[in-house]
Amino acid sequence: MKIEYDAGTALSIMRGNPVRGWTSGKPEKMAKERLTTGDYLAVQHKPKFKIDPTWPIFTMGSCFAREVENILMMRGLPLLLRGHGVPAEHFESWDETTGRGGGADRGQLSRGALNKYSVRSMTHELKRVLRGESYPDDGLIELAPGQWFDPHASGLRLLDRDTAFANRKRLTEATATIKQAKICFFTLGLTETWLDAETGIAMNAHPGPNWLQRMPERFRFVDYGYDATLADMLDIIGLIREHCNPEMRFVVTVSPVPFGATFKDADVIVANSASKSLLRAVTEELFRRFDYVDYFPSYEIVLNSPRAIAFEDDQLHIAREMVAHVMTTFQGAYLPPVEQPQAA
């Protein structure tokens, strides 16, 4: 959807925008100055709407969405996925010595299994919950006798049938909380996706290189383009407003977390840039089309902050302080100020 103004309107908008210039305007507002402070990037974000702190919030997306959730819960907002997840002991990362897995302690539930990396996998999960789509064995795959893999979960190890199906029920119930939401926060992660050729499911994650090699006909790699990704997001938004709150509002963003490896014949840095650029273009189109869809620039805030403070040492995950800065910007834009206690 194009944006078009007459010259007078364009000049009026430009003159009224204090952060319009890269090298012009007030020094503290210039992009040149804000990009070279050595500190986290400060952006001026004008939201389309404010969020009532009593509104139930549903979040979906990549691992960056889990970081967002932590900040929202610290603020005391009604996060619908709070208390949902999968037992820490069921994750690949489970360590018996430390008693931790999936970022949670023994006996606790971790929301890490809810990570959704591609838009197509998000679409399948929501169609399953809201439209009642079903798959053989609920979409789970028995890779070897008694070893079940959930292609719509994230980070889980192979489990026995009963445990795997119980976890699938937990994750489905978590997604179903979207029916109670008044606002959805979507973080789009990547475009590279793996398909289960038998069920047609776009898997949230593949089962590992060894299984891909053993079952080359069952699993297929797809890197979705702009048209398919936009169509999926339009389908998601329409599905949610049809089956959930018809006045649902959406905040969409692009995860600044790069993917760990690419399956395309390209430098991973170039492939990641292509994927993120495509997702950013999709979110821009949604922002332009709908007054109830807003774009929040967490991607730009992180990518234009000094890398040494924005990312952890692996240059993959976002530093906790960087996430806090992003969410401080989010709160300042969308939420009312926190009331300070009155002095005695």
Side-chain angles (χ1 to χ4, degrees):
M1 178 179 174
K2 71 177 180 179
I3 296 173
E4 185 174 356
Y5 314 121
D6 61 66
T9 301
L11 287 170
S12 177
I13 291 172
M14 182 194 72
R15 289 166 181 158
N17 180 6
V19 287
R20 66 183 180 273
W22 204 273
T23 58
S24 61
K26 294 183 179 180
E28 69 275 12
K29 299 295 185 181
M30 295 181 195
K32 167 181 170 290
E33 298 298 327
R34 288 182 288 134
L35 288 166
T36 55
T37 64
D39 202 351
Y40 302 118
L41 176 69
V43 300
Q44 179 174 300
H45 177 60
K46 292 182 177 180
K48 288 183 178 179
F49 47 78
K50 294 289 187 177
I51 298 175
D52 187 314
T54 66
W55 288 354
I57 300 173
F58 180 83
T59 49
M60 180 177 261
S62 69
C63 54
F64 189 70
R66 307 283 80 83
E67 298 289 352
V68 169
E69 290 170 359
N70 292 334
I71 301 296
L72 294 176
M73 287 191 295
M74 287 174 58
R75 175 72 191 265
L77 298 178
L79 184 75
L80 289 166
L81 291 178
R82 186 170 193 160
H84 288 272
V86 169
E89 296 87 341
H90 298 171
F91 284 80
E92 288 180 331
S93 60
W94 171 252
D95 187 322
E96 187 65 35
T97 302
T98 62
R100 285 184 63 80
D105 293 326
R106 187 190 308 273
Q108 294 182 340
L109 298 178
S110 168
R111 297 189 310 279
L114 291 162
N115 290 350
K116 286 285 180 289
Y117 299 109
S118 75
V119 172
R120 182 58 60 90
S121 67
M122 291 166 59
T123 306
H124 274 306
E125 185 77 354
L126 289 167
K127 286 181 177 179
R128 179 204 297 266
V129 171
L130 299 179
R131 196 174 285 167
E133 288 194 357
S134 61
Y135 309 95
D137 291 317
D138 215 5
L140 274 66
I141 304 170
E142 189 176 24
L143 294 174
Q147 297 184 61
W148 288 81
F149 169 69
D150 186 344
H152 265 175
S154 176
L156 299 183
R157 57 189 176 86
L158 300 184
L159 298 161
D160 65 83
R161 179 185 173 89
D162 288 346
T163 304
F165 277 70
N167 283 338
R168 168 44 41 199
K169 183 179 179 182
R170 288 187 178 100
L171 296 175
T172 299
E173 290 173 348
T175 303
T177 63
I178 193 173
K179 297 174 184 178
Q180 306 166 39
K182 288 194 174 181
I183 188 161
C184 290
F185 191 110
F186 284 155
T187 302
L188 310 189
L190 48 80
T191 55
E192 293 194 8
T193 310
W194 283 87
L195 297 180
D196 177 0
E198 288 193 12
T199 63
I201 286 179
M203 301 189 294
N204 186 54
H206 63 73
N210 290 337
W211 291 108
L212 296 179
Q213 189 167 357
R214 290 185 199 181
M215 308 170 76
E217 298 304 316
R218 176 147 194 177
F219 302 118
R220 299 185 62 81
F221 170 77
V222 180
D223 187 19
Y224 288 101
Y226 174 83
D227 290 341
T229 304
L230 176 60
D232 279 343
M233 284 303 301
L234 293 172
D235 197 8
I236 285 173
I237 290 170
L239 185 67
I240 292 170
R241 285 175 70 93
E242 177 185 356
H243 293 275
C244 304
N245 187 335
E247 301 299 320
M248 188 79 77
R249 296 183 182 185
F250 302 85
V251 177
V252 295
T253 190
V254 174
S255 171
V257 180
F259 43 66
T262 181
F263 285 88
K264 296 192 297 185
D265 185 17
D267 188 308
V268 66
I269 296 174
V270 177
N272 181 70
S273 178
S275 183
K276 301 296 185 182
S277 297
L278 189 154
L279 293 173
R280 181 63 186 89
V282 167
T283 58
E284 178 68 16
E285 181 63 22
L286 297 174
F287 169 82
R288 293 185 181 196
R289 285 196 191 190
F290 305 113
D291 60 4
Y292 50 83
V293 177
D294 201 14
Y295 175 75
F296 176 67
S298 58
Y299 179 75
E300 288 81 356
I301 296 171
V302 174
L303 266 291
N304 290 288
S305 293
R307 199 166 185 97
I309 61 174
F311 286 81
E312 294 182 0
D313 290 342
D314 62 7
Q315 296 301 299
L316 186 68
H317 295 94
I318 311 303
R320 190 63 56 85
E321 294 80 6
M322 180 78 253
V323 177
H325 172 73
V326 169
M327 293 311 296
T328 296
T329 305
F330 177 87
Q331 292 178 80
Y334 290 97
L335 298 170
V338 178
E339 292 185 7
Q340 299 296 326
Q342 297 292 327

